[in-house]
Amino acid sequence: LPLVVKGFEMEITPASRIVAQIGETLILTCNTTGCASPSFSWRTQMDNPLGGTVNNHRTYSTLTMNPVSIVNSHDYLCTVFCGAKEKKEKSIKVELYSFPSDPIIEISPSLVAGERVTVICKIPDVYPSDHLEVLLKKEEHVLHMENFYEDDSTNTETKTVTYSFNPTAEDIGKEITCVAKLPIANMDFEPKERVTSQKLNANFGPQNTIITASPGNLPMEGDSLKLTCVTESNPPPQIVWRKHLADESIQHLTENNVLSIPHARFTDSGQYICEVINLVTNKTEKATVDIVIQDGPKNTMISVIPATAVKEGETVMMKCTSSGNPAPVISWKKKNATGQSEKIFKDATLTIQNIQSQDLGLYECEAYNQFGKEEKAVKLLVQVPPQNITVLVYPSENVKEGENVTIICSTYSNPPSQMVLKKLHQEKEIILPSVNGTFILYNVTKNDTGRYLLDVFNEVGNNIKVIEIAVVGRLEKPDQMIPLIIAFSCVTAVAVPVVAILIYVSRKAKINGSYSLVKALRLKV
């Protein structure tokens, strides 16, 4: 038999009455003294389920509720047996509540100034709700009061209080406060009041959107340029930067309120667009700024139509283009005979109609603005066919056998002319070229009598002169070997070939008498 110890007692903790919050952990302990081997049992009044876990130890027993739920709202009875005859019982009352968190405020729809809004205050997982009192305030002004005294909920519930009103512009920034109270008499728990506040933060805009440019909208090339898009909007808007291109298309740049260009270039000039989008108010606003990068003239170019080399009488158009900002002023100069430049025209396009030879020369285009100048030059050539031809025959067109005949031709042309002398009415036509316009017929004979054509030509035209040579009688001279030679006056250009030709012709002259060089230089046409 178990030994009965005198003074057998028991107690239950934490007390005869406990207030517990639903969702937390509660441990009830049943202790004994004066009994070596007690036995324990737990039950509820009305014999409902315990809703917890029993753990028996040598001299005490625990009932653990983890978590505490609505089923634990009972009087719990702990019974202790010490031997067969000793028995003791004590009870503990578990009272429940749930007030776990502060209220939640929602404003629906998103607040827009001037439009009616609804303020919703939610009190999560409250129990018992028939004690709940809710107060809605704007600053210190009470908007709405509501209680749930008639509520018959038997478990935790989220309770909602709703209030609608028309906010004024003065209401923006003021605080809406929801005060929830759960005053239950004789229940010792804290807190019994929970408070949440939220500012009336109206959604608006975008509006009054502007772009600021630093250092300004007329920076110099190479400067650092910063464009800032400033707007009024709540919530903060989405910002997109774009730029109008020359072909009327739009270039997407960045999505930030600041657009930075570290080293501005002339090509950065143009219209920039800041587009501001408020996704809540579904409104969009744009601002634009024209940026003009300033610089001295550059990329100066001259175009000539139809070409830099034209025929006399044609029309020439020379156009000068230059980039720079402000737009460069264009003027034309021409170098005179002394090498000095004279201003002749002030415009981008210089047109010369019925061009003449005196119009050829070096033309200079000058592009100028306040930040500098740049010059480009073009050489204009006027092509003139042979003209003003003068032919001199020395000693005359009528000579005696054995004499020398010199034919000198002078002309004006551009480019310089070439000249050839032809003798007509021969079985094989002889064509003799010339350098510097001089022909010499040495030791002429009657065979040299006839008509000669002098053809003067260049790339743009030609002119022909006819010369009649008559060889009569014989020049009285000692017998000697006189070769017939046609030579050129440009000694430096033909010195070596002429020496060779002279030796060759001299030998032939001894055999054939005259006109041998002509045969030697015979060219078929």
Side-chain angles (χ1 to χ4, degrees):
L1 292 174
L3 179 64
V4 177
V5 179
K6 189 177 180 179
F8 166 53
E9 297 291 342
M10 73 163 288
E11 64 175 354
I12 192 166
T13 59
S16 61
R17 179 173 173 268
I18 183 68
V19 176
Q21 177 155 270
I22 295 173
E24 294 182 349
T25 299
L26 177 62
I27 300 175
L28 304 182
T29 303
C30 191
N31 273 310
T32 65
T33 58
C35 181
S37 300
S39 61
F40 300 91
S41 69
W42 291 88
R43 66 183 178 88
T44 63
Q45 287 181 343
M46 310 300 293
D47 290 325
N48 286 315
L50 287 176
T53 303
V54 174
N55 286 294
N56 291 323
H57 302 273
R58 185 170 175 271
T59 59
Y60 69 95
S61 177
T62 60
L63 173 60
T64 303
M65 301 165 222
N66 185 20
V68 173
S69 68
I70 198 70
V71 300
N72 298 123
S73 181
H74 295 297
D75 285 324
Y76 285 87
L77 183 67
C78 177
T79 304
V80 184
F81 293 92
C82 187
K85 298 180 180 180
E86 291 290 329
K87 169 186 170 185
K88 289 186 180 292
E89 291 183 329
K90 281 192 177 181
S91 67
I92 181 170
K93 184 177 181 63
V94 176
E95 297 183 67
L96 302 180
Y97 79 99
S98 180
F99 200 33
S101 58
D102 293 338
I104 299 168
I105 296 177
E106 295 177 358
I107 299 177
S108 178
S110 295
L111 189 60
V112 178
E115 297 182 10
R116 187 170 182 82
V117 298
T118 299
V119 177
I120 301 170
C121 180
K122 295 180 179 180
I123 300 91
D125 301 325
V126 65
Y127 178 85
S129 55
D130 58 0
H131 287 72
L132 182 63
E133 299 173 355
V134 180
L135 185 68
L136 282 177
K137 299 191 298 181
K138 180 177 66 179
E139 297 290 335
E140 296 304 317
H141 173 67
V142 176
L143 295 175
H144 180 67
M145 294 177 64
E146 189 170 334
N147 62 62
F148 293 82
Y149 298 158
E150 305 300 322
D151 194 84
D152 56 0
S153 297
T154 59
N155 207 336
T156 58
E157 282 188 3
T158 295
K159 298 300 180 181
T160 301
V161 173
T162 303
Y163 180 73
S164 298
F165 69 103
N166 288 315
T168 64
E170 291 76 19
D171 289 334
I172 295 173
K174 290 185 177 179
E175 281 193 342
I176 294 291
T177 301
C178 178
V179 181
K181 298 178 181 180
L182 195 64
I184 304 174
N186 301 318
M187 284 187 73
D188 185 20
F189 66 88
E190 291 293 339
K192 291 186 178 181
E193 180 178 300
R194 290 185 176 272
V195 179
T196 297
S197 295
Q198 182 176 318
K199 284 190 176 182
L200 278 174
N201 196 9
N203 297 318
F204 59 88
Q207 61 195 30
N208 302 322
T209 304
I210 61 168
I211 297 173
T212 61
S214 175
N217 61 343
L218 295 172
M220 290 296 296
E221 187 171 47
D223 283 354
S224 175
L225 176 63
K226 184 170 77 172
L227 303 180
T228 305
C229 189
V230 181
T231 189
E232 297 173 4
S233 175
N234 191 53
Q238 181 184 47
I239 296 178
V240 178
W241 281 98
R242 296 185 173 91
K243 182 188 177 188
H244 267 297
L245 300 181
D247 61 359
E248 301 301 320
S249 65
I250 303 293
Q251 178 187 13
H252 180 91
L253 298 176
T254 185
E255 295 183 8
N256 198 334
N257 69 314
V258 177
L259 175 61
S260 294
I261 303 174
H263 302 285
R265 294 287 174 262
F266 186 73
T267 52
D268 293 320
S269 296
Q271 186 180 73
Y272 289 81
I273 306 160
C274 167
E275 185 176 67
V276 185
I277 307 160
N278 188 322
L279 299 177
V280 174
T281 63
N282 200 28
K283 292 181 179 179
T284 299
E285 190 171 77
K286 295 180 182 179
T288 62
V289 63
D290 290 314
I291 297 298
V292 180
I293 310 299
Q294 299 187 111
D295 195 16
K298 59 174 53 177
N299 304 320
T300 304
M301 298 176 62
I302 297 175
S303 59
V304 182
I305 300 175
T308 55
V310 293
K311 296 178 182 179
E312 195 173 40
E314 290 185 333
T315 296
V316 176
M317 184 172 67
M318 293 184 285
K319 186 174 184 179
C320 182
T321 59
S322 182
S323 59
N325 193 50
V329 175
I330 306 294
S331 62
W332 287 91
K333 297 184 289 185
K334 183 186 178 187
K335 282 199 173 181
N336 57 25
T338 64
Q340 298 296 316
S341 295
E342 297 178 350
K343 285 194 176 182
I344 57 171
F345 193 67
K346 190 174 182 180
D347 202 353
T349 303
L350 172 60
T351 302
I352 305 174
Q353 296 178 335
N354 190 26
I355 196 164
Q356 300 299 312
S357 57
Q358 61 266 28
D359 294 319
L360 64 77
L362 191 68
Y363 288 80
E364 295 175 335
C365 158
E366 181 184 86
Y368 170 82
N369 69 9
Q370 66 199 67
F371 301 110
K373 71 175 182 177
E374 188 174 62
E375 293 182 339
K376 290 291 177 180
V378 64
K379 190 172 184 179
L380 189 62
L381 301 175
V382 180
Q383 296 178 322
V384 182
Q387 59 187 23
N388 302 329
I389 297 177
T390 302
V391 179
L392 296 176
V393 181
Y394 181 80
S396 73
E397 294 179 357
N398 298 307
V399 294
K400 293 181 180 181
E401 279 189 290
E403 285 190 306
N404 298 335
V405 178
T406 301
I407 301 171
I408 301 173
C409 177
S410 64
T411 184
Y412 172 76
S413 68
N414 189 37
S417 297
Q418 299 181 50
M419 301 178 190
V420 294
L421 186 66
K422 306 175 183 179
K423 185 180 179 188
L424 301 182
H425 308 306
Q426 289 202 156
E427 293 178 3
K428 294 181 180 179
E429 189 175 53
I430 299 171
I431 299 176
L432 306 175
S434 167
V435 176
N436 214 24
T438 300
F439 302 87
I440 302 176
L441 305 180
Y442 289 96
N443 194 25
V444 297
T445 68
K446 288 183 179 181
N447 291 334
D448 296 319
T449 297
R451 177 174 292 179
Y452 291 79
L453 293 185
L454 180 58
D455 190 359
V456 184
F457 61 92
N458 67 4
E459 296 173 12
V460 291
N462 75 317
N463 208 324
I464 295 177
K465 292 294 182 180
V466 178
I467 305 167
E468 295 279 353
I469 301 292
V471 181
V472 294
R474 185 168 182 82
L475 184 64
E476 295 295 332
K477 283 189 179 181
D479 290 338
Q480 57 181 329
M481 181 188 69
I482 304 176
L484 172 61
I485 269 185
I486 300 173
F488 309 109
S489 63
C490 187
V491 177
T492 58
V494 295
V496 174
V498 165
V499 172
I501 293 170
L502 286 174
I503 295 171
Y504 171 75
V505 172
S506 173
R507 291 174 179 172
K508 296 292 287 183
K510 291 180 180 179
I511 301 170
N512 299 326
S514 67
Y515 213 58
S516 301
L517 184 58
V518 172
K519 294 178 182 179
L521 300 176
R522 191 169 292 166
L523 299 173
K524 294 181 180 180
V525 177

